[in-house]
Amino acid sequence: MTRPTRTQPPRSWTVTPARYDNPDVQQLLWQLHTAQLEMYGYADDPTDTPAEDYTPPQGLFLLAREVTARPAGCGGWRSLDASTAEVKRMYVHPDTRGQSLGRELLLRLETDARLRGYTHMQLETGV
């Protein structure tokens, strides 16, 4: 008996490292900020975080773009201590959700932190 295979839609985005203060990253972070305010009534100000927190080797920030070059998602990790990294600012634009972009961003962040010697990763999520 054969099993049906699940085919993934062709990837419609690219993921590359970006500076935290990149204008396209900031655009997505303000969208995240607005969504958090609507959901929880509060949100961290993205400008309160220094861009250096996400600069290798103590961090990394990723930017995903659709093939049209529109920013589609982002996320980063930063060092909390010698063995612990923290995932922050994960966001996928609503038009891009459901395509596993968030999963890919998280996998790349985890992989990068692990390759840099971090053995624990922390992620705080909303309710």
Side-chain angles (χ1 to χ4, degrees):
M1 182 170 167
T2 60
R3 294 179 181 224
T5 58
R6 288 176 75 184
T7 58
Q8 293 289 332
R11 189 182 298 171
S12 60
W13 28 260
T14 59
V15 178
T16 57
R19 285 195 43 92
Y20 182 81
D21 54 6
N22 174 298
D24 288 336
V25 167
Q26 289 295 306
Q27 174 187 336
L28 289 168
L29 293 177
W30 282 108
Q31 290 173 15
L32 169 62
H33 181 81
T34 300
Q36 289 174 326
L37 284 175
E38 290 172 2
M39 238 184 300
Y40 308 119
Y42 63 91
D44 294 336
D45 184 332
T47 61
D48 287 346
T49 303
E52 293 74 34
D53 282 8
Y54 298 100
T55 303
Q58 71 271 2
L60 174 71
F61 209 85
L62 298 175
L63 173 62
R65 294 180 184 279
E66 292 183 349
V67 293
T68 61
R70 183 180 72 90
C74 63
W77 73 265
R78 64 183 180 178
S79 177
L80 290 181
D81 60 42
S83 64
T84 308
E86 177 184 33
V87 174
K88 295 289 286 181
R89 312 288 192 231
M90 289 282 301
Y91 180 73
V92 174
H93 190 279
D95 292 345
T96 312
R97 293 181 186 159
Q99 300 178 42
S100 299
L101 176 55
R103 181 182 310 206
E104 180 164 339
L105 285 166
L106 185 57
L107 178 64
R108 288 180 185 218
L109 294 172
E110 289 172 333
T111 300
D112 185 73
R114 185 174 36 255
L115 290 172
R116 294 182 191 277
Y118 293 86
T119 57
H120 297 85
M121 184 159 274
Q122 177 176 308
L123 169 64
E124 182 179 333
T125 62
V127 177

